[in-house]
């Protein structure tokens, strides 16, 4: 299907339409050989609450963003190279159905589909594109993934000390290493994780001790090699920020019977 659609007028028109919907806030998406394979609305587990997001599957990237006006205006565009993606199917819960996790080295998050068939279609097409890319480039599947953030409302107390209760005055924070919801006292440390960001990130006390121990061990292993490696040019890690700015809006209280990951939006089938 990719070969059939590549460099066709209909494919160019579809990609141009996506670019127009994101407007000036989005990046150009048209590249030689890039094909738009499918699109649809999935429910993404965000920090405050599950939210609908528009997703576009290309043969080499996955693009998603926030919906302002469906089919007309999107923002908060995120672009994920498919070579960096690993998928994990998740079991249903009482609140969440048809779930799976999209794992990358910079950001991992849970999405859900409106039906089991829709989930199967997404996963099938994603896996096919990922397999094709890895075969083409000779790369191995990514093995290091960022931890998904646990939603704020999943717990009323700090998940590390289990003593601090959250309130309007006692803020929730997230450890960037484990994704746990923690209090300020349990996450005062910052640690540089180049894979995630060029700046030191908030981590919980436990992860900080583990990261510090790993760093010391790595430095000890490298020390005898320093004279030999001094002339080798190092590489700069990616500094892309994949944070979901629109997810930091004012927190809302969820009723006890709220069902996560429900969607009444009809599925937009894959292009053929």
């Amino acid at each position: 299907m990719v070969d059939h659609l590549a460099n066709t007028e209909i494919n160019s028109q579809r990609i141009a339409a996506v670019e127009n919907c994101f407007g000036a806030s989005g990046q150009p998406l048209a590249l030689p050989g890039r094909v738009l394979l499918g699109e649809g609305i999935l429910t993404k587990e965000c920090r405050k609450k599950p939210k609908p997001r528009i997703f576009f599957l290309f043969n080499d990237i996955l693009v998603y963003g926030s919906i302002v006006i469906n089919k007309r205006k999107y923002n908060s565009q995120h672009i994920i190279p498919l070579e960096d993606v690993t998928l994990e199917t998740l079991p249903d819960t009482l609140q969440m159905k048809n779930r799976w996790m999209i794992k990358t080295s910079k950001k991992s998050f849970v999405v859900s589909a409106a039906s089991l068939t829709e989930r199967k279609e997404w996963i099938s097409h994603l896996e096919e594109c990922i397999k094709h890319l890895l075969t083409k480039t000779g790369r191995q599947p990514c093995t290091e993934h960022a931890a998904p953030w646990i939603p704020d409302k999943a717990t009323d107390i700090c998940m590390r000390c289990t003593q601090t209760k959250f309130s309007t005055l006692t803020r929730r924070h997230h450890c960037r290493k484990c994704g746990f919801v923690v209090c300020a006292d349990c996450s005062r440390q910052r640690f540089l994780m180049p894979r995630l960001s060029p700046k030191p990130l908030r981590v919980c006390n436990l992860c900080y001790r583990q990261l510090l121990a790993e760093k010391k061990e790595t430095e000890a292993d490298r020390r005898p090699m320093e004279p030999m490696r001094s002339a080798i040019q190092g590489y700069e890690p990616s500094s892309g920020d994949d944070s979901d700015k629109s997810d930091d809006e004012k927190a809302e209280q969820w009723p006890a019977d709220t069902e996560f990951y429900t969607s009444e939006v009809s599925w937009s089938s894959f292009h053929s």
Side-chain angles (χ1 to χ4, degrees), residues 50-84:
K51 300 175 184 178
R53 292 286 186 260
I54 184 69
F55 281 79
F56 298 96
L57 176 60
F58 296 81
N59 59 324
D60 61 337
I61 57 174
L62 181 66
V63 178
Y64 73 92
S66 301
I67 304 169
V68 181
I69 305 175
N70 192 29
K71 299 292 185 182
R72 292 180 60 188
K73 185 177 181 181
Y74 308 124
N75 60 21
S76 301
Q77 184 192 72
H78 298 271
I79 300 177
I80 303 174
L82 289 182
E83 291 178 344
D84 193 36

Side-chain angles (χ1 to χ4, degrees), residues 26-43:
Q27 297 183 38
L29 299 172
L31 283 179
R34 176 170 289 170
V35 175
L36 176 59
L37 298 174
E39 62 187 77
I41 296 176
L42 300 173
T43 302

